[in-house]
mmCIF file of all heavy atoms in Angstrom:
data_model
loop_
_atom_site.group_PDB
_atom_site.id
_atom_site.type_symbol
_atom_site.label_atom_id
_atom_site.label_comp_id
_atom_site.label_asym_id
_atom_site.label_seq_id
_atom_site.Cartn_x
_atom_site.Cartn_y
_atom_site.Cartn_z
ATOM 1 N N GLU A 303 5.934 -3.036 19.628
ATOM 2 C CA GLU A 303 7.255 -2.614 20.131
ATOM 3 C C GLU A 303 8.347 -2.820 19.081
ATOM 4 O O GLU A 303 9.399 -2.174 19.128
ATOM 5 C CB GLU A 303 7.633 -3.420 21.384
ATOM 6 C CG GLU A 303 6.744 -3.172 22.585
ATOM 7 C CD GLU A 303 7.256 -2.052 23.480
ATOM 8 O OE1 GLU A 303 8.190 -1.345 23.042
ATOM 9 O OE2 GLU A 303 6.720 -1.882 24.577
ATOM 10 N N GLU A 304 8.120 -3.713 18.115
ATOM 11 C CA GLU A 304 9.132 -3.977 17.082
ATOM 12 C C GLU A 304 9.117 -2.930 15.979
ATOM 13 O O GLU A 304 10.005 -2.906 15.127
ATOM 14 C CB GLU A 304 8.916 -5.379 16.497
ATOM 15 C CG GLU A 304 9.107 -6.493 17.531
ATOM 16 C CD GLU A 304 8.911 -7.892 16.949
ATOM 17 O OE1 GLU A 304 8.891 -8.028 15.705
ATOM 18 O OE2 GLU A 304 8.779 -8.852 17.740
ATOM 19 N N LEU A 305 8.087 -2.072 15.991
ATOM 20 C CA LEU A 305 8.020 -0.963 15.038
ATOM 21 C C LEU A 305 8.726 0.259 15.632
ATOM 22 O O LEU A 305 9.027 0.291 16.822
ATOM 23 C CB LEU A 305 6.553 -0.628 14.725
ATOM 24 C CG LEU A 305 5.727 -1.749 14.097
ATOM 25 C CD1 LEU A 305 4.254 -1.350 14.024
ATOM 26 C CD2 LEU A 305 6.253 -2.100 12.705
ATOM 27 N N ASP A 306 8.986 1.247 14.787
ATOM 28 C CA ASP A 306 9.606 2.491 15.256
ATOM 29 C C ASP A 306 8.523 3.532 15.517
ATOM 30 O O ASP A 306 7.719 3.841 14.626
ATOM 31 C CB ASP A 306 10.593 3.016 14.208
ATOM 32 C CG ASP A 306 11.878 2.194 14.158
ATOM 33 O OD1 ASP A 306 11.945 1.154 14.839
ATOM 34 O OD2 ASP A 306 12.807 2.601 13.441
ATOM 35 N N TRP A 307 8.511 4.085 16.718
ATOM 36 C CA TRP A 307 7.529 5.093 17.141
ATOM 37 C C TRP A 307 8.248 6.392 17.479
ATOM 38 O O TRP A 307 9.304 6.375 18.099
ATOM 39 C CB TRP A 307 6.756 4.603 18.370
ATOM 40 C CG TRP A 307 5.920 3.383 18.118
ATOM 41 C CD1 TRP A 307 6.358 2.089 17.999
ATOM 42 C CD2 TRP A 307 4.502 3.335 17.947
ATOM 43 N NE1 TRP A 307 5.301 1.245 17.756
ATOM 44 C CE2 TRP A 307 4.148 1.979 17.718
ATOM 45 C CE3 TRP A 307 3.487 4.304 17.959
ATOM 46 C CZ2 TRP A 307 2.832 1.576 17.507
ATOM 47 C CZ3 TRP A 307 2.173 3.899 17.756
ATOM 48 C CH2 TRP A 307 1.849 2.554 17.528
ATOM 49 N N PHE A 308 7.653 7.519 17.094
ATOM 50 C CA PHE A 308 8.180 8.807 17.537
ATOM 51 C C PHE A 308 7.804 9.035 19.002
ATOM 52 O O PHE A 308 8.561 9.602 19.768
ATOM 53 C CB PHE A 308 7.606 9.949 16.680
ATOM 54 C CG PHE A 308 7.958 9.845 15.224
ATOM 55 C CD1 PHE A 308 6.967 9.704 14.266
ATOM 56 C CD2 PHE A 308 9.283 9.892 14.805
ATOM 57 C CE1 PHE A 308 7.281 9.618 12.923
ATOM 58 C CE2 PHE A 308 9.607 9.804 13.459
ATOM 59 C CZ PHE A 308 8.610 9.662 12.517
ATOM 60 N N LYS A 309 6.609 8.573 19.364
ATOM 61 C CA LYS A 309 6.125 8.680 20.746
ATOM 62 C C LYS A 309 5.332 7.427 21.067
ATOM 63 O O LYS A 309 4.436 7.047 20.318
ATOM 64 C CB LYS A 309 5.238 9.926 20.913
ATOM 65 C CG LYS A 309 4.602 10.075 22.291
ATOM 66 C CD LYS A 309 3.745 11.341 22.342
ATOM 67 C CE LYS A 309 3.033 11.487 23.675
ATOM 68 N NZ LYS A 309 1.906 10.563 23.821
ATOM 69 N N LYS A 310 5.671 6.779 22.165
ATOM 70 C CA LYS A 310 4.983 5.548 22.522
ATOM 71 C C LYS A 310 3.568 5.835 23.028
ATOM 72 O O LYS A 310 3.289 6.913 23.561
ATOM 73 C CB LYS A 310 5.793 4.778 23.578
ATOM 74 C CG LYS A 310 5.373 3.330 23.707
ATOM 75 C CD LYS A 310 6.234 2.565 24.688
ATOM 76 C CE LYS A 310 5.625 1.196 24.954
ATOM 77 N NZ LYS A 310 6.372 0.432 25.938
ATOM 78 N N TRP A 311 2.694 4.867 22.874
ATOM 79 C CA TRP A 311 1.297 4.989 23.276
ATOM 80 C C TRP A 311 1.157 5.041 24.801
ATOM 81 O O TRP A 311 2.029 4.569 25.539
ATOM 82 C CB TRP A 311 0.503 3.797 22.722
ATOM 83 C CG TRP A 311 1.070 2.457 23.136
ATOM 84 C CD1 TRP A 311 0.759 1.732 24.237
ATOM 85 C CD2 TRP A 311 2.077 1.696 22.455
ATOM 86 N NE1 TRP A 311 1.489 0.569 24.295
ATOM 87 C CE2 TRP A 311 2.313 0.514 23.215
ATOM 88 C CE3 TRP A 311 2.808 1.890 21.275
ATOM 89 C CZ2 TRP A 311 3.239 -0.454 22.831
ATOM 90 C CZ3 TRP A 311 3.722 0.924 20.907
ATOM 91 C CH2 TRP A 311 3.934 -0.230 21.665
ATOM 92 N N ASN A 312 0.027 5.621 25.232
ATOM 93 C CA ASN A 312 -0.302 5.645 26.660
ATOM 94 C C ASN A 312 -1.193 4.478 27.052
ATOM 95 O O ASN A 312 -1.208 4.056 28.207
ATOM 96 C CB ASN A 312 -1.021 6.961 27.023
ATOM 97 C CG ASN A 312 -0.121 8.159 26.842
ATOM 98 O OD1 ASN A 312 1.068 8.091 27.139
ATOM 99 N ND2 ASN A 312 -0.670 9.255 26.324
ATOM 100 N N LYS A 313 -1.949 3.971 26.063
ATOM 101 C CA LYS A 313 -2.899 2.898 26.331
ATOM 102 C C LYS A 313 -2.979 2.031 25.084
ATOM 103 O O LYS A 313 -3.095 2.548 23.970
ATOM 104 C CB LYS A 313 -4.271 3.505 26.669
ATOM 105 C CG LYS A 313 -5.295 2.523 27.196
ATOM 106 C CD LYS A 313 -6.575 3.277 27.563
ATOM 107 C CE LYS A 313 -7.607 2.325 28.160
ATOM 108 N NZ LYS A 313 -8.863 3.044 28.465
ATOM 109 N N VAL A 314 -2.907 0.713 25.242
ATOM 110 C CA VAL A 314 -2.906 -0.172 24.080
ATOM 111 C C VAL A 314 -4.248 -0.139 23.352
ATOM 112 O O VAL A 314 -4.306 0.017 22.131
ATOM 113 C CB VAL A 314 -2.560 -1.626 24.486
ATOM 114 C CG1 VAL A 314 -2.665 -2.560 23.273
ATOM 115 C CG2 VAL A 314 -1.171 -1.706 25.085
ATOM 116 N N LEU A 315 -5.335 -0.262 24.097
ATOM 117 C CA LEU A 315 -6.662 -0.360 23.474
ATOM 118 C C LEU A 315 -7.709 0.385 24.288
ATOM 119 O O LEU A 315 -7.815 0.190 25.501
ATOM 120 C CB LEU A 315 -7.073 -1.834 23.344
ATOM 121 C CG LEU A 315 -8.492 -2.121 22.827
ATOM 122 C CD1 LEU A 315 -8.679 -1.596 21.405
ATOM 123 C CD2 LEU A 315 -8.803 -3.618 22.889
ATOM 124 N N GLU A 316 -8.451 1.224 23.593
ATOM 125 C CA GLU A 316 -9.614 1.888 24.189
ATOM 126 C C GLU A 316 -10.834 1.329 23.472
ATOM 127 O O GLU A 316 -11.083 1.628 22.302
ATOM 128 C CB GLU A 316 -9.506 3.397 23.975
ATOM 129 C CG GLU A 316 -10.400 4.225 24.872
ATOM 130 C CD GLU A 316 -10.084 5.705 24.728
ATOM 131 O OE1 GLU A 316 -9.134 6.175 25.390
ATOM 132 O OE2 GLU A 316 -10.777 6.376 23.932
ATOM 133 N N TRP A 317 -11.572 0.467 24.167
ATOM 134 C CA TRP A 317 -12.618 -0.341 23.527
ATOM 135 C C TRP A 317 -13.983 0.073 24.063
ATOM 136 O O TRP A 317 -14.350 -0.219 25.180
ATOM 137 C CB TRP A 317 -12.320 -1.815 23.791
ATOM 138 C CG TRP A 317 -13.300 -2.844 23.289
ATOM 139 C CD1 TRP A 317 -13.803 -3.897 23.984
ATOM 140 C CD2 TRP A 317 -13.876 -2.934 21.976
ATOM 141 N NE1 TRP A 317 -14.643 -4.636 23.197
ATOM 142 C CE2 TRP A 317 -14.719 -4.069 21.954
ATOM 143 C CE3 TRP A 317 -13.768 -2.154 20.815
ATOM 144 C CZ2 TRP A 317 -15.445 -4.450 20.834
ATOM 145 C CZ3 TRP A 317 -14.498 -2.538 19.702
ATOM 146 C CH2 TRP A 317 -15.315 -3.675 19.708
ATOM 147 N N ASP A 318 -14.706 0.837 23.232
ATOM 148 C CA ASP A 318 -16.055 1.285 23.567
ATOM 149 C C ASP A 318 -16.953 0.817 22.431
ATOM 150 O O ASP A 318 -17.177 1.551 21.473
ATOM 151 C CB ASP A 318 -16.078 2.814 23.716
ATOM 152 C CG ASP A 318 -17.458 3.346 24.080
ATOM 153 O OD1 ASP A 318 -18.286 2.548 24.581
ATOM 154 O OD2 ASP A 318 -17.705 4.539 23.858
ATOM 155 N N PRO A 319 -17.433 -0.436 22.509
ATOM 156 C CA PRO A 319 -18.133 -1.047 21.365
ATOM 157 C C PRO A 319 -19.194 -0.125 20.766
ATOM 158 O O PRO A 319 -19.938 0.506 21.524
ATOM 159 C CB PRO A 319 -18.774 -2.294 21.977
ATOM 160 C CG PRO A 319 -17.895 -2.623 23.141
ATOM 161 C CD PRO A 319 -17.427 -1.306 23.682
ATOM 162 N N PRO A 320 -19.231 0.023 19.411
ATOM 163 C CA PRO A 320 -18.412 -0.724 18.441
ATOM 164 C C PRO A 320 -17.095 -0.028 18.085
ATOM 165 O O PRO A 320 -16.481 -0.360 17.094
ATOM 166 C CB PRO A 320 -19.331 -0.767 17.224
ATOM 167 C CG PRO A 320 -20.033 0.563 17.258
ATOM 168 C CD PRO A 320 -20.239 0.867 18.723
ATOM 169 N N HIS A 321 -16.671 0.951 18.874
ATOM 170 C CA HIS A 321 -15.483 1.739 18.514
ATOM 171 C C HIS A 321 -14.246 1.236 19.249
ATOM 172 O O HIS A 321 -14.285 0.989 20.450
ATOM 173 C CB HIS A 321 -15.719 3.215 18.828
ATOM 174 C CG HIS A 321 -16.930 3.775 18.152
ATOM 175 N ND1 HIS A 321 -16.988 4.007 16.794
ATOM 176 C CD2 HIS A 321 -18.144 4.124 18.648
ATOM 177 C CE1 HIS A 321 -18.181 4.476 16.484
ATOM 178 N NE2 HIS A 321 -18.906 4.552 17.581
ATOM 179 N N ALA A 322 -13.163 1.116 18.499
ATOM 180 C CA ALA A 322 -11.884 0.705 19.090
ATOM 181 C C ALA A 322 -10.806 1.701 18.686
ATOM 182 O O ALA A 322 -10.749 2.129 17.531
ATOM 183 C CB ALA A 322 -11.503 -0.699 18.624
ATOM 184 N N LYS A 323 -9.967 2.076 19.657
ATOM 185 C CA LYS A 323 -8.794 2.900 19.373
ATOM 186 C C LYS A 323 -7.570 2.143 19.864
ATOM 187 O O LYS A 323 -7.507 1.747 21.026
ATOM 188 C CB LYS A 323 -8.891 4.255 20.084
ATOM 189 C CG LYS A 323 -9.968 5.169 19.539
ATOM 190 C CD LYS A 323 -9.958 6.510 20.263
ATOM 191 C CE LYS A 323 -11.018 7.438 19.680
ATOM 192 N NZ LYS A 323 -11.024 8.738 20.382
ATOM 193 N N TRP A 324 -6.632 1.941 18.939
ATOM 194 C CA TRP A 324 -5.420 1.185 19.270
ATOM 195 C C TRP A 324 -4.235 2.130 19.469
ATOM 196 O O TRP A 324 -4.065 3.096 18.728
ATOM 197 C CB TRP A 324 -5.087 0.194 18.158
ATOM 198 C CG TRP A 324 -5.960 -1.027 18.182
ATOM 199 C CD1 TRP A 324 -7.129 -1.225 17.493
ATOM 200 C CD2 TRP A 324 -5.741 -2.218 18.946
ATOM 201 N NE1 TRP A 324 -7.646 -2.467 17.775
ATOM 202 C CE2 TRP A 324 -6.818 -3.107 18.669
ATOM 203 C CE3 TRP A 324 -4.752 -2.632 19.837
ATOM 204 C CZ2 TRP A 324 -6.921 -4.370 19.243
ATOM 205 C CZ3 TRP A 324 -4.845 -3.886 20.398
ATOM 206 C CH2 TRP A 324 -5.916 -4.748 20.111
ATOM 207 N N PHE A 325 -3.419 1.826 20.469
ATOM 208 C CA PHE A 325 -2.174 2.545 20.750
ATOM 209 C C PHE A 325 -2.433 4.048 20.912
ATOM 210 O O PHE A 325 -1.858 4.892 20.220
ATOM 211 C CB PHE A 325 -1.125 2.243 19.667
ATOM 212 C CG PHE A 325 -0.952 0.757 19.464
ATOM 213 C CD1 PHE A 325 -1.348 0.139 18.286
ATOM 214 C CD2 PHE A 325 -0.431 -0.035 20.476
ATOM 215 C CE1 PHE A 325 -1.222 -1.234 18.114
ATOM 216 C CE2 PHE A 325 -0.286 -1.409 20.307
ATOM 217 C CZ PHE A 325 -0.687 -2.008 19.136
#
Side-chain angles (χ1 to χ4, degrees):
E303 295 269 11
E304 297 181 14
L305 299 172
D306 286 7
W307 296 76
F308 299 118
K309 176 180 177 286
K310 197 176 170 183
W311 56 90
N312 295 322
K313 190 177 183 182
V314 176
L315 175 63
E316 197 172 277
W317 177 227
D318 181 20
H321 304 289
K323 291 182 178 180
W324 283 93
F325 308 112

